[in-house]
């Protein structure tokens, strides 16, 4: 497995946010984490990124234990996250934001900039514009593009559809699929469970800090209990 989260427990003070969570992501996969607010999805990503310390368990990347590796070193090893809320630099231009994503790299990154612009033509049009003046959808594109500038082996995406119009959400999910087809493994946290499960090869359902179900995205999409809990009952797809 490329990324393994093995029986991790994480606490906020005395409160257990994750209680023995185990998740595996194989090279080339899109794996989704779904669940209600407060289920532990974002905490899982933050723990993988090194932003939360592990009380028990291990995080491994390509077989290497990275549980105690600092977050910035994990980026160099191939883990990169586009965070919830996008977290772009509002005062920097689009191009400067992208270059911030490649800070760990040496040498010419112009080919990577062009790759991002080919995925997100809107960013090319606005490359000299301040990040803070972009629309929500454009800021999400920029957050993903900036993460790609680090040439990640695993791209962690936290709620990429949050606050976006349905048409833009569809576009973002199509681009995530294209990024995956270009060889980037994706771990996706997403409130929009129907979209996430339709896209994902496999998925995990989190409830109150525990994994309660795991299966292929299609199996969970068609599971009556999952549909009732997360997909609004009997929806068409």
């Amino acid at each position: 497995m490329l990324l393994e989260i093995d029986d991790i427990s994480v606490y906020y003070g005395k409160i257990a946010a994750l209680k023995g969570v185990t998740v595996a992501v194989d090279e080339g996969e899109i794996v989704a984490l779904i669940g209600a607010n407060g289920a532990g999805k974002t905490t899982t990503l933050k723990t993988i990124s090194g932003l939360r310390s592990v009380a028990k368990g291990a995080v491994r990347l390509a077989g290497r234990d990275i549980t105690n590796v600092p977050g910035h070193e994990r980026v160099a090893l191939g883990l990169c996250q586009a965070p919830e809320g996008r977290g772009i630099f509002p005062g920097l231009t689009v191009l400067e934001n992208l270059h911030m994503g490649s800070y760990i790299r040496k040498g010419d990154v112009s080919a990577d900039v062009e790759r991002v612009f080919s995925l997100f033509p809107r960013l090319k049009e606005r490359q000299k514009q301040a990040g803070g003046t972009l629309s929500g959808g454009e800021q999400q594109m920029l957050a993903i593009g900036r993460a790609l500038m680090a040439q990640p082996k695993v791209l962690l995406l936290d709620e990429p559809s949050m606050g976006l119009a349905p048409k833009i959400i569809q576009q973002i999910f199509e681009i995530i699929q294209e990024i995956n087809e270009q060889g980037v493994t994706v771990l996706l946290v997403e409130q929009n469970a129907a979209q996430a499960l339709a896209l994902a090869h496999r998925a995990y359902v989190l409830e109150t800090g525990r994994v309660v179900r795991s299966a292929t995205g299609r199996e969970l999409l068609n599971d009556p209990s999952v549909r009732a809990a997360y997909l609004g009952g009997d929806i068409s797809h």
Side-chain angles (χ1 to χ4, degrees):
M1 283 288 164
L2 181 55
L3 176 65
E4 296 171 274
I5 301 97
D6 185 10
D7 195 28
I8 59 170
S9 294
V10 173
Y11 288 82
Y12 292 104
K14 293 183 178 178
I15 299 168
L18 300 180
K19 308 163 190 171
V21 168
T22 294
V23 171
V25 185
D26 210 352
E27 188 169 356
E29 283 190 309
I30 299 174
V31 172
L33 301 180
I34 67 167
N37 285 332
K41 305 184 304 295
T42 291
T43 299
T44 300
L45 288 196
K46 285 183 174 178
T47 304
I48 295 166
S49 294
L51 302 176
R52 292 286 169 213
S53 57
V54 175
K56 179 172 81 78
V59 180
R60 288 187 286 272
L61 182 66
R64 174 179 172 178
D65 189 330
I66 61 167
T67 310
N68 298 310
V69 172
H72 66 281
E73 292 182 21
R74 298 187 195 199
V75 176
L77 293 173
L79 273 177
C80 207
Q81 181 168 341
E84 181 181 7
R86 296 154 202 151
I88 63 154
F89 299 101
L92 300 183
T93 67
V94 166
L95 190 57
E96 288 167 341
N97 265 277
L98 293 179
H99 281 293
M100 288 297 286
S102 62
Y103 78 96
I104 60 161
R105 298 176 50 204
K106 294 183 174 127
D108 185 15
V109 297
S110 58
D112 295 278
V113 171
E114 288 307 315
R115 177 193 177 204
V116 171
F117 284 161
S118 71
L119 285 166
F120 303 105
R122 191 84 57 86
L123 295 184
K124 185 168 188 176
E125 294 168 14
R126 288 162 170 59
Q127 61 182 291
K128 295 180 181 175
Q129 204 169 308
T133 67
L134 301 179
S135 71
E138 290 163 351
Q139 289 189 15
Q140 186 60 64
M141 294 173 190
L142 182 55
I144 295 172
R146 183 182 61 189
L148 289 173
M149 290 295 295
Q151 293 186 328
K153 293 186 179 79
V154 182
L155 177 62
L156 308 174
L157 296 176
D158 195 356
E159 303 285 10
S161 77
M162 183 180 283
L164 302 183
K167 184 178 177 184
I168 302 298
I169 291 172
Q170 187 61 41
Q171 190 179 352
I172 292 290
F173 274 88
E174 287 170 1
I175 289 164
I176 293 169
Q177 184 164 17
E178 187 174 346
I179 290 167
N180 177 248
E181 287 169 355
Q182 290 179 4
V184 179
T185 302
V186 176
L187 180 57
L188 169 69
V189 159
E190 181 51 63
Q191 200 68 31
N192 189 328
Q195 288 268 21
L197 294 177
L199 180 69
H201 300 102
R202 293 186 304 108
Y204 294 80
V205 180
L206 266 65
E207 287 181 7
T208 58
R210 300 181 192 278
V211 173
V212 295
R213 287 289 313 279
S214 66
T216 68
R218 183 60 56 185
E219 285 170 336
L220 290 177
L221 194 59
N222 292 313
D223 182 290
S225 62
V226 172
R227 294 169 71 80
Y230 303 108
L231 306 177
D234 188 20
I235 60 167
S236 60
H237 59 85

